[in-house]
Amino acid sequence: DQQVKQNSPSLSVQEGRISILNCDYTNSMFDYFLWYKKYPAEGPTFLISISSIKDKNEDGRFTVFLNKSAKHLSLHIVPSQPGDSAVYFCAASASEGVGGNTPLVFGKGTRLSVIA
Amino acid sequence: DAGVIQSPRHEVTEMGQEVTLRCKPISGHNSLFWYRQTMMRGLELLIYFNNNVPIDDSGMPEDRFSAKMPNASFSTLKIQPSEPRDSAVYFCASSLADLESETQYFGPGTRLLVL
């Protein structure tokens, strides 16, 4: 049973346009969400995160939106660049508070191709 | 900072052999995670430690898998005996638990092939 779902395995976008990657989750205990970017033969690289007390977090070209009632989050990249081509993973955790971190539950990833 | 360091980067072994994967977390981090990535199951947690203490090993597939964290700067994941279905990429990640963030930082992974 997948608790974090990325229903689009791949996405192609033209350079300069907006890329929107979607993620749905089922566990209402999740309160921290992250996006990771992964290039071949490398480990996932942290991109941006959002706490459940917020509905939007922005960092340069990257914005994450959280809709708790729909249990949905999305990552917007604008403008998209060829270097953004990678696999993007959505991840979630249910924090236990200060004193220890809890594991991340990952979606299966979306492969983004930005075409020049 | 050097980031999370994993060794070896690649490992090819024969079925039945013992495999040991190593991880050095980011200095100062107090949580360490071992994940495995396969085509079928994606990224899944194997085990994690907080302050060097194993917290949850329910993701460890079988008794053939074991993990240790003897100190804050080193962890091992051992597979004995290894089987072809263990072939995957194994990632180690570390984090610092605080009020602001639970971000985990990943190493480059160890690509394991069991023949």
Side-chain angles (χ1 to χ4, degrees), chain A:
Chain A
D1 181 29
Q2 269 191 281
Q3 297 186 68
V4 177
K5 298 180 185 179
Q6 294 177 256
N7 291 321
S8 298
S10 63
L11 175 68
S12 288
V13 173
Q14 273 202 310
E15 181 179 7
R17 306 293 282 267
I18 184 171
S19 295
I20 301 176
L21 296 94
N22 293 303
C23 178
D24 297 295
Y25 62 95
T26 57
N27 189 340
S28 58
M29 297 299 291
F30 288 148
D31 59 1
Y32 194 72
F33 306 88
L34 309 90
W35 285 94
Y36 283 82
K37 177 178 175 179
K38 187 180 180 305
Y39 293 118
E42 294 184 10
T45 302
F46 169 71
L47 194 57
I48 192 169
S49 64
I50 188 166
S51 164
S52 60
I53 63 174
K54 298 182 178 179
D55 55 18
K56 177 182 173 182
N57 189 26
E58 194 170 351
D59 183 2
R61 296 186 297 115
F62 302 91
T63 303
V64 56
F65 295 92
L66 175 63
N67 183 334
K68 283 196 301 180
S69 60
K71 294 192 177 68
H72 177 84
L73 65 155
S74 61
L75 174 68
H76 293 208
I77 307 172
V78 56
S80 302
Q81 300 173 354
D84 296 330
S85 298
V87 177
Y88 289 78
F89 291 96
C90 170
S93 72
S95 64
E96 296 175 343
V98 176
N101 275 344
T102 54
L104 297 176
V105 179
F106 283 86
K108 295 227 172 146
T110 296
R111 183 177 300 278
L112 174 65
S113 300
V114 180
I115 305 161

